[in-house]
Amino acid sequence: MSRALVSGFNQAPVTRSASLPVPLDPARLPRHVAVIMDGNGRWARQRNLPRVMGHRQGVEALKRTLRRCSDWGIGALTAYAFSTENWSRPGEEVSFLMTLFERVLQRELGALEQEQVRIRFLGDLEPLPTRLQELIAEATARTATNTGIHFNVCTNYGGRAELVRAARLLAQRVARGELDPDQIDETAFAAELHTAGEADPDLLIRTSGEQRISNFLLWQLAYAELHITEVLWPDFDEAALLAALLDYQGRQRRFGGVDPLG
Ligand code: FPP
């Protein structure tokens, strides 16, 4: 986020979109972008570097993406940082990632706070190292009232686990007599997800060419437009984000209905 824009961050959308690349239509930007940041390992392998160097560069790509999304007036960015399945990676890589998350949080919290980013971590946070849990709690609390972009970091997140958890929470409310089963509708269900209160993503970007959802936001992506790019996540830059947004703006969104012009 350029300093000049930060001061007027929440007052004037015109100022915010001033830096919007010309081909983008400011009226048709996605409100919420989700990203599956894939290809860190391959990026490192192509350079004969250890896999973890790919993750380090991946953090830089995430920072770039957050800045651009914020500068261009996108309301929320949700990134898949660590899945429930990622624990099966080699122990060294898992430890590296946990330490990397701690370092990034420590290093970037001041800037996130100042730049009005509201950060939240979505997933089952209890199995994470205690120090990381403390930093997450601090970052969440210190940015909770920030009025800029919502930055959601999915950590120890799994879409199926999230759905099971929501069903269990609803069942518990029914068992306590607080809720009638007939009152369970899509709104009530969505309110028990980690993403409660956040609009569903309009656009999902997946890097490195894989054509899978990989247990990410299974409920929330119901009507998202998918953009799959061959770019490896550490190389994801402004041009790649612009390409994704232009692809999105070229889509006819019908939400199960019909094209009004066709
Ligand atoms: C997968 O690449 C990517 C990850 C496991 C994400 C790592 C997390 C970050 C870069 C961001 C962390 C950010 C914060 C804010 C704490 P891969 O290893 O699956 O790549 P490959 O498919 O090429 O092996």
Side-chain angles (χ1 to χ4, degrees), residues 37-42 51 55 58-59 62 81 89 97 101 104:
M37 310 179 286
D38 201 10
N40 293 351
R42 274 162 281 177
R51 286 178 56 78
H55 296 317
V59 170
L62 186 55
R89 292 187 174 211
L97 280 168
F101 294 172
V104 171

Side-chain angles (χ1 to χ4, degrees), residues 56-132:
R56 202 171 268 170
Q57 284 307 308
V59 170
E60 297 308 310
L62 186 55
K63 281 162 56 183
R64 276 199 298 273
T65 305
L66 177 64
R67 277 211 177 90
R68 283 296 156 263
C69 285
S70 176
D71 286 348
W72 293 351
I74 289 164
L77 175 70
T78 299
Y80 206 2
F82 194 87
S83 76
T84 44
E85 290 72 36
N86 285 157
W87 295 107
S88 65
R89 292 187 174 211
E92 260 178 29
E93 184 174 341
V94 171
S95 314
F96 179 91
L97 280 168
M98 296 300 147
T99 308
L100 181 71
F101 294 172
E102 286 173 24
R103 292 219 177 110
V104 171
L105 267 182
Q106 249 162 345
R107 206 174 53 211
E108 305 296 337
L109 181 54
L112 293 172
E113 215 177 359
Q114 207 185 350
E115 295 173 6
Q116 287 299 318
V117 175
R118 191 202 73 180
I119 190 168
R120 288 205 305 189
F121 287 77
L122 313 183
D124 177 8
L125 307 180
E126 265 177 39
L128 301 176
T130 313
R131 180 69 193 129
L132 179 55

Side-chain angles (χ1 to χ4, degrees), residues 226-246:
L226 309 185
H227 174 83
I228 292 166
T229 170
E230 294 297 324
V231 172
L232 302 178
W233 178 251
D235 289 329
F236 195 82
D237 58 7
E238 181 171 327
L241 178 63
L242 178 59
L245 295 174
L246 286 171

Side-chain angles (χ1 to χ4, degrees), residues 24 40 44 106 136 176 179 189 198 204 241 254:
L24 279 177
N40 293 351
Q106 249 162 345
I136 287 175
R176 288 197 298 265
L179 186 71
F189 200 92
E198 194 78 85
L204 170 70
L241 178 63
R254 293 200 294 271

Side-chain angles (χ1 to χ4, degrees), residues 39 53 78 81 90 109 129 133 136 147 150 153 158 172 247 261:
M53 292 305 288
T78 299
L109 181 54
Q133 288 187 50
I136 287 175
T147 49
H150 294 178
V153 185
Q172 286 167 347
D247 185 17
L261 301 175

Side-chain angles (χ1 to χ4, degrees), residues 80 82-85 122-124 154 156-167 189 193-194 213-221:
Y80 206 2
F82 194 87
S83 76
T84 44
E85 290 72 36
L122 313 183
D124 177 8
C154 292
N156 194 27
Y157 173 89
R160 286 186 174 179
E162 180 185 36
L163 295 175
V164 169
R165 175 180 172 272
F189 200 92
L193 299 173
H194 294 301
I213 298 292
S214 298
N215 203 16
F216 189 42
L217 301 176
L218 296 178
W219 172 283
Q220 299 87 339
L221 291 173

